[in-house]
Amino acid sequence: MSPSDQGDGDLEMEYPAERGNWTGKLDFLLSCIGYCVGLGNVWRFPYRAYTNGGGAFLVPYFIMLAICGIPIFFMELSLGQFSSLGPLAVWKISPLFKGVGMGTILIVSLVAIYYNMIIAYVLFYLFASLTSNLPWEHCGNWWNTNLCLDHHVIKAGNAAIPFNITNTVSPSEEYWNRYVLHIQGSSGIGDPGRIRWNLCLCLLLSWVIVYLCILKGVKSSGKVVYFTATFPYFILIMLLIRGVTLEGAWIGIKFYLTPQFDHLLSSKVWIEAALQIFYSLGVGFGGLLTFASYNTFHQNIYRDTFIVTLGNAITSILAGFAIFSVLGYMSQELGIPVNQVAKAGPGLAFVVYPQAMTMLPLSPLWSFLFFFMLLTLGLDSQFAFMETIVTAVTDEFPYYLRPKKAFFSAIICIAMYLMGLILTTEGGMYWLVLLDDYSAGFGLMVVVITTCLVVTRVYGMKRFCRDIHMMLGFQPGLYFKACWMFLSPAMMMALLVYNIVKYQPSEYGSYRFPSWAEVLGILMGLFSCLMIPAGMVVAVLREEGTLWERIQQASRPAMDWGPSLEENRTGMYVATLAGSQSPKPLMVHMRKYGGITSYENTAIEVDREIEEEEESMM
């Protein structure tokens, strides 16, 4: 049935019904915000700012946001929205590089496995906060050792403490290591020990929550994000107000933001800023492309790009104020410098901040709110990871999988839960650190660099800008073109080289990973990179002719590349869909809606440009 045969009033038929679309105008925007604003904003950005020049760190941070973050973000959204395809099928743009999509899916699958384990830890602490006294407030529990020393003892002893504080451990740290993880039951990564059944059940609950929220694809997850993407801001503001009103809060904020401009002369600070942007925005994981693929063809993703990227940056800065104001209070209470209190990574969320909560009145309430904020922050990102995997595979096999998408999603969740059981053992943290260090390291950078080069060099910058013109009614400016062609790839290559040159073996506390674990981690990263040449071999073998002819043919866009709906296909895309019955989709628009819109004017201009180019070539 051609579009002209459809009912005049049935505007919903504009969308490919079998695939699904966002059901509300804000679904896409809130999903992107929830995806980008995650756990890293709370435990990674504040520490990176503090250790890399304080307030001066914001200079390279925003420069890298402009060079790398915003342009690559916009590129991914454009690819997804233009084609309405997931991270695998989108490589109809150049089938020779379909291995890039395969590498993306491998990376995001590994990340989804361990990311949900972090959500399980958050659930564990959330339930533990439902008590009148937090269990990590004092020593004297069965999991505590003789080294345990709580802050009440330190405060009571004041300056004349008769023992060496450096050889002591806080109750929150022992609760985390010895009770939650029970890490003393494992001698290392090769000795996982027994499964911690409380963690196993928390992981099961986290997967059940994720599955129920993605059950109907973007139609269900798009509604859940109205809560999970906005509620963290209410809690963050509450924690911020509470933090800045604490005695000693200014000490922490001063440590956090005091500009140290001499740091700007160090290349490390610029690389750290670029890394923070790279991972905070979630480029390369396929989530942005997947979300955009469910948009209508003319959604204003140009505006959305700036809203999400700048909003993410502002959220990170606000989170820093909330975290370091409390750490400043903690520093004054303990009588030790802030730099001895602050930690990066999970240690901040599961050791330092829980300890700080025990020093506040109504500590269980603040602890519950903090971990509920982390839960909602984490779930949004996990939704994106799972939607990326499910969408990518169902777009490859639409006839078989789209009608059974809920069942297929359940199979994926069950499989990932079973693979994540190793993380619930006594030595599970060692495996989590290994996955965190290597699953999305240099492999992810190779994927993003390749994507950028293929779109601008192989597919062509002029053609890509023309596609954006078809969607939005205007072409990207010089800023985007310069970043896509030169600045962004150069910066990401510098990141890749830096990561290789400054390579450091993984470690957790004082534990050094054995060489076989390092090799396993490196292979994990290499395997996603090897998907690219493997995909090239498969694509070349499917073509005919000499080797060079096969490579040329595989490099060109597939015949059905372009907008998913016939009425959106103009110029070179006209009548290239299977079963196409309309020689000019523009006429379909006129018959269906009456008159010519601004987008049809754009289509006419693009068609005229193409005709002029063809005439000049002849």
Side-chain angles (χ1 to χ4, degrees):
M1 182 174 69
S2 70
S4 57
D5 296 327
Q6 297 163 7
D8 291 336
D10 191 6
L11 297 185
E12 291 185 0
M13 292 299 289
E14 181 183 354
Y15 313 130
E18 74 280 8
R19 191 172 188 273
N21 286 89
W22 300 110
T23 56
K25 292 183 178 180
L26 285 176
D27 293 16
F28 167 70
L29 186 61
L30 289 177
S31 294
C32 285
I33 291 172
Y35 169 60
C36 296
V37 178
L39 299 173
N41 296 73
V42 175
W43 70 43
R44 189 174 284 121
F45 176 84
Y47 186 84
R48 271 200 171 145
Y50 152 67
T51 54
N52 288 287
F57 179 73
L58 297 179
V59 175
Y61 178 77
F62 279 102
I63 290 175
M64 291 304 168
L65 177 65
I67 292 176
C68 270
I70 295 174
I72 302 300
F73 194 97
F74 184 46
M75 174 181 280
E76 286 203 21
L77 294 188
S78 300
L79 284 173
Q81 180 166 301
F82 182 76
S83 63
S84 296
L85 296 171
L88 273 177
V90 76
W91 287 100
K92 288 179 180 180
I93 192 173
S94 183
L96 184 66
F97 296 93
K98 190 168 186 176
V100 177
M102 295 160 61
T104 300
I105 299 306
L106 177 61
I107 291 169
V108 79
S109 298
L110 292 172
V111 171
I113 291 171
Y114 83 80
Y115 201 87
N116 225 23
M117 188 66 230
I118 298 174
I119 295 175
Y121 292 141
V122 171
L123 283 170
F124 190 98
Y125 271 82
L126 191 69
F127 296 139
S129 301
L130 298 173
T131 178
S132 56
N133 293 303
L134 295 174
W136 56 85
E137 187 170 355
H138 300 289
C139 300
N141 303 288
W142 66 261
W143 59 83
N144 293 126
T145 65
N146 294 330
L147 297 177
C148 183
L149 178 68
D150 66 51
H151 71 277
H152 299 97
V153 177
I154 299 175
K155 194 174 181 182
N158 210 356
I161 300 176
F163 34 74
N164 187 357
I165 298 179
T166 57
N167 293 326
T168 61
V169 182
S170 68
S172 62
E173 188 167 353
E174 288 205 335
Y175 180 81
W176 165 243
N177 284 321
R178 296 181 61 81
Y179 181 71
V180 179
L181 301 179
H182 204 264
I183 206 165
Q184 67 270 23
S186 169
S187 59
I189 192 169
D191 174 32
R194 295 171 299 176
I195 286 180
R196 298 280 291 152
W197 290 107
N198 44 12
L199 288 179
C200 185
L201 292 174
C202 285
L203 181 62
L204 177 62
L205 177 60
S206 63
W207 275 114
V208 169
I209 293 171
V210 169
Y211 173 69
L212 291 176
C213 292
I214 66 166
L215 180 60
K216 295 184 178 179
V218 294
K219 289 185 178 179
S220 56
S221 66
K223 296 307 176 190
V224 175
V225 293
Y226 277 81
F227 175 75
T228 56
T230 56
F231 192 69
Y233 284 96
F234 289 108
I235 302 180
L236 184 62
I237 291 170
M238 288 173 66
L239 291 172
L240 177 62
I241 294 171
R242 183 68 185 105
V244 297
T245 55
L246 290 170
E247 188 179 352
W250 177 245
I251 300 173
I253 294 173
K254 185 180 178 182
F255 265 83
Y256 170 50
L257 283 184
T258 299
Q260 301 168 39
F261 291 105
D262 56 306
H263 280 65
L264 298 183
L265 301 175
S266 169
S267 60
K268 175 180 176 292
V269 174
W270 292 83
I271 297 293
E272 288 283 330
L275 281 172
Q276 178 62 29
I277 289 294
F278 196 82
Y279 291 109
S280 180
L281 291 178
V283 294
F285 288 97
L288 298 171
L289 193 149
T290 300
F291 284 160
S293 72
Y294 290 103
N295 279 342
T296 54
F297 190 68
H298 298 303
Q299 169 83 14
N300 191 350
I301 48 174
Y302 182 80
R303 173 201 62 203
D304 295 342
T305 295
F306 287 97
I307 291 174
V308 177
T309 53
L310 295 177
N312 178 66
I314 293 168
T315 303
S316 296
I317 296 169
L318 282 177
F321 279 103
I323 296 297
F324 268 84
S325 61
V326 175
L327 296 186
Y329 166 73
M330 189 175 172
S331 167
Q332 179 164 298
E333 286 284 296
L334 298 177
I336 58 176
V338 177
N339 61 358
Q340 292 182 28
V341 176
K343 290 183 181 180
L348 177 62
F350 299 116
V351 176
V352 178
Y353 213 79
Q355 183 184 354
M357 293 297 100
T358 64
M359 301 179 183
L360 300 176
L362 299 174
S363 55
L365 170 64
W366 294 109
S367 178
F368 179 85
L369 289 175
F370 174 72
F371 285 108
F372 194 77
M373 179 183 73
L374 291 187
L375 176 65
T376 51
L377 287 174
L379 284 175
D380 289 328
S381 300
Q382 187 69 7
F383 294 159
F385 296 148
M386 295 308 298
E387 195 61 56
T388 298
I389 298 166
V390 173
T391 296
V393 181
T394 52
D395 280 352
E396 281 294 292
F397 308 100
Y399 180 79
Y400 300 102
L401 295 180
R402 277 185 189 164
K404 303 173 182 176
K405 193 171 183 180
F407 177 73
F408 179 64
S409 299
I411 296 296
I412 295 290
C413 289
I414 292 169
M416 289 193 166
Y417 169 68
L418 294 175
M419 286 187 280
L421 285 178
I422 186 71
L423 304 177
T424 66
T425 61
E426 293 168 323
M429 178 51 68
Y430 300 124
W431 286 97
L432 190 145
V433 169
L434 191 72
L435 281 167
D436 187 35
D437 286 351
Y438 293 101
S439 62
F442 57 91
L444 182 66
M445 291 184 194
V446 170
V447 163
V448 179
I449 292 169
T450 308
T451 301
C452 197
L453 294 177
V454 170
V455 170
T456 56
R457 267 76 173 182
V458 180
Y459 183 65
M461 174 63 76
K462 194 169 186 179
R463 189 185 294 177
F464 183 56
C465 290
R466 184 187 293 146
D467 292 345
I468 295 174
H469 191 184
M470 282 178 62
M471 286 192 300
L472 304 182
F474 59 88
Q475 288 212 16
L478 182 62
Y479 156 65
F480 280 104
K481 292 177 181 178
C483 288
W484 288 335
M485 286 294 289
F486 308 109
L487 298 178
S488 297
M491 189 63 241
M492 288 186 290
M493 286 179 184
L495 280 176
L496 182 60
V497 172
Y498 176 83
N499 270 5
I500 295 172
V501 171
K502 295 290 185 179
Y503 169 77
Q504 291 182 334
S506 293
E507 57 185 48
Y508 179 71
S510 59
Y511 176 78
R512 300 291 184 273
F513 283 69
S515 55
W516 67 264
E518 291 297 317
V519 172
L520 180 64
I522 293 170
L523 288 175
M524 200 186 303
L526 279 176
F527 197 56
S528 57
C529 299
L530 292 175
M531 291 288 103
I532 300 175
M536 287 180 170
V537 171
V538 172
V540 167
L541 291 176
R542 287 180 174 175
E543 302 296 340
E544 296 179 354
T546 64
L547 179 61
W548 179 241
E549 287 172 345
R550 290 177 179 223
I551 292 173
Q552 283 183 311
Q553 290 163 9
S555 300
R556 297 190 189 105
M559 276 295 293
D560 58 345
W561 164 253
S564 63
L565 297 181
E566 192 176 353
E567 56 262 39
N568 292 325
R569 299 173 80 89
T570 65
M572 71 183 78
Y573 303 109
V574 169
T576 53
L577 280 178
S580 176
Q581 298 179 22
S582 175
K584 279 288 180 183
L586 176 57
M587 299 307 296
V588 176
H589 264 299
M590 293 178 66
R591 285 198 302 270
K592 187 173 180 182
Y593 302 116
I596 298 180
T597 69
S598 60
Y599 291 111
E600 277 77 60
N601 279 322
T602 297
I604 293 171
E605 292 172 15
V606 172
D607 287 348
R608 189 180 296 119
E609 287 176 14
I610 295 171
E611 288 172 5
E612 290 173 357
E613 283 180 24
E614 290 173 349
E615 288 174 3
S616 63
M617 289 174 66
M618 293 175 65

